[in-house]
Amino acid sequence: MKAAVIVFPGSNCDRDMKVAIEQSLGTPAHMVWHGDSDLPDVDLIAIPGGFSYGDYLRCGAIAGNSPIMREVVKRAASGTPVLAVCNGFQIATETGMLPGALLRNANQKFICKDVDLKVVGENKRFSGAFASGQVVRFPVAHHDGNYFADDETLARLEGEGLVAFKYADANGEVSDATNINGSRNNIAGIYNEAGNILGLMPHPERLISEQLGGTDGKLFFDNLVNSLN
Amino acid sequence: MTEITKEIVAEHGLSESEYERVLEILGREPNLTELGIFSVMWSEHCSYKSSKKWLKTLPTEAPWVICGPGENAGVVDIGDGQAAIFKMESHNHPSYIEPYQGAATGVGGILRDVFTMGARPVANMNALRFGRPDHPKTRHLVSGVVSGIGGYGNCMGIPTVGGETNFHASYDGNILVNAMTVGIADTDKIFYSAAAGIGNPVVYVGSKTGRDGIHGATMASAEFDDDSEEKRPTVQVGDPFTEKLLLEACLELMATDAIVAIQDMGAAGLTSSSFEMADKGGVGIQIDLDNVPMREEGMTPYEIMLSESQERMLMILKPGREDEARAIFEKWELDFAVIGKVTDTGKMVLTMHGDIVADLPVAPLADSAPEYDRPWVKTEAPAPLKADTLPVPADLGKTLLNLMGSSEIASRKWIWEQYDHMVMGDTIQRPGGDAAVVRVHGTDKALAITTDCTPRYCYADPETGGAQAVAETWRNLTATGADPLAITDCMNFGNPERPEIMGQFVGCIAGMKAACNALDYPVVSGNVSLYNETNGTGIHPTPAIGGIGLLKQSSHMSTIAFKADGETILLVGETTDNMGQTIYLREIEGREEGAPPAINLEQERRNGDFVRASIQAGLVTASHDISDGGLAVALSEMALAGDRGATITLEDSLPAHAALFAEDQARYVITATAENAQTLLENAKKADVPLQILGTTGHNELKVTGMLAISVSDIRQVHSQWLPDLMTVPGH
């Protein structure tokens, strides 16, 4: 299996993503510079966190129109799995690969902490390591992670099992009290209809060893790599 | 041409005698551009004219020090051909006037100081001081400073891993924002700032120059008055995305051997960077200002030279390497301009539109900056305040809760949750412990980092306070199991022209010197911020110390959290009945009096070496230094972090409030298995280290026999709520 990590000039979780993928994969990931318009032939494309082009405009708005993203959209349409984390999720919504938008956090502040997430939709590739309803812990680190979609889209996401993770408590209870950033329906991550794209605000690549404070992220990547091998 | 009148000279912050010196050096009157250059170069901020005499007395050497003070940052060897490069710097005046941008550009500036030397920054820290919590400006300033620090570091992708925050009325009109960055470089790839090679190109990279921040260094060298708001235009505006590009582009170019010297443009911008580079190299520089990338049209030489636009660097390249370097900066979409060359004239010659607009001798301007031996008076050390002069509170549990929910001790989580403290994937000890710990990427080593100072101690007794600040950083590093290496200092004081303020400075330096010597823990970089006064009232003396230590094996790291039930809790060090300057005295009695806890540096060293060796030998399961609020607060913090309680029995040789809340130094709480506790007791005896068993971990309350019993959740409630409550705007 081969993986590529897209690198924008303001990406800053690109190395973390590379380390996490390589820890599970055992071979190097391709780092693909935003200025390149051709992607290597890979089995997984990761769009990492950061501030793509500074994000002084809407987060991911400029990256969404970059040449490399046109290529990523094409690959995704033909079925290549795409993991879009944090700024990657924001970029994915800007391209239309995923529905909805990420607004400023309800408290108007950057939030960095570990959060409990309830695994919702079933997707063997991305969440096969976890049972539906299980609680996993990944960190968040964002200023604009407040997921918004209109009622119709929301109903479709919920109805078709496309909600991947929800902000919850340690017992899996999903409530306003566990909604860290104001996301509609506590949504932390979603799949596209075909199930080959996962966009999520939390960072699984940050909890990949006991020394870093947890291994749920390692389980996530181990499963992802195994399912694509 | 503008005539240089007395008024213009005064507006530039130069005294009459300083201006006399300018005339002497030049043998003529300066023009306005030249006067502006003298003004910033001789500002307190750039010239250290009041502090130099005393800073020189600090120890700066050790076998592991690669580069001490004088460069952009200090450099220490961390083994395996790697070095840690670090510095702390103040951005106080701008942050008070415009908290978001002031703090953000403070972070940007210190990051540049570190990556200028070839290091990739791996951690940011900060030391913040605000006015009293209920001061009308405090909430606004805390909110702006914290988002500014986060806004810059988060975008750069450098984790902000911790720091410290105090609130005190002495900072009502002058907050302190001290930012620290630590980076890692290969020891054979460290870059310095001395210009060399006659004819070599002088290259400008980064952002364009605008009219922002002109005279920022001069502002930072004066007291505030009621019109300080008008100084808003002198505050710079930060662009962290451009800085991220600049970081990556510089590191990419540094991987080649094209650079001779490099210096960031910080305070006093192009002026100070070009003069420092020329002066260190003993050469001249000729610059054609027409080639400086400019954001606006019609900028004058004066504005170009004094602009403090951010995210800019000045480099000397090897001849013929311009195209290679230009390609890298163009890839990162940054300006790259050859603006001049190194000359053998020893002069700084600036031209614009074909005219010479400044012609100044480098060495006299840089080296003959005024140096003052300002008059000072020693602060009289107050007497200790004995516990038996204070009533023992009827409800000690309630007293502990009061302290845990006080401004000094309450959780800073509200702050650090706004900082990305995990990016780069190497943060193995997050904020909230004694020190933050980040792994050296790709190795089994880790760096422990902390910032500390107890300004109320420094105010009461500068010498003790200066020593305590250094010792506390050393203790915090020790408590993680790290070997302390070196410090950076950020000396924040009032107006040095007042002898009592100068006396505080002299006293703090003396204390720091003694501690650095006793602990083999030199100063390798630093910064001085004076004139932190408003309408004649100075801040508490605040020598903020940033310390770093090395864990050769990151798996040896210790944390403050109680790990398991049934473990033995031990106290390292001795407790006395001095309650002077304690948080207890301030919060419970409403008094800020007496002598701060005494410092015994020999005992400090023995106790610390014992704790560290015990951690590294695997005998310790948790460790925490005892500081603000004393033993009871330290135990509470360990209980909170481990989410489990403890049962403690204290000897009755001291009054209860002293045993629980005295702030005696050189003390730690450690835990161990019952078996290892016996080994520790034997080892301590041999090492002449006072060690006693306090009790056992377990259950969900903190119980001190005969004194108090409170549930961990009640402690958590008061500890976690204070800051969010403060920051919640009434009515929202």
Side-chain angles (χ1 to χ4, degrees), chain A residues 15-16 56 112 114 206 211, chain B residues 239-240 417 420 424 439 554:
Chain A
R15 190 183 79 181
D16 304 358
Y56 293 123
C112 178
D114 289 351
R206 289 189 179 192
Q211 204 177 28
Chain B
D239 175 359
E417 280 188 354
D420 190 338
M424 294 185 90
R439 287 185 305 211
S554 58

Side-chain angles (χ1 to χ4, degrees), chain B residues 558-564 566-572 611 614-615 618-624 635 638-639 644-646 648 668-674 676-677 680 691 694-698:
Chain B
S558 180
T559 69
I560 71 169
F562 286 149
K563 299 294 182 307
E567 294 195 327
T568 304
I569 304 169
L570 303 106
L571 170 65
V572 181
V611 169
S614 305
I615 293 170
L619 294 170
V620 171
T621 51
S623 45
H624 189 13
L635 289 166
M638 297 177 84
R644 73 187 74 238
I648 303 292
Y668 304 77
V669 178
I670 57 177
T671 63
T673 60
N676 285 339
L680 288 168
L691 182 70
L694 291 179
T696 314
T697 58

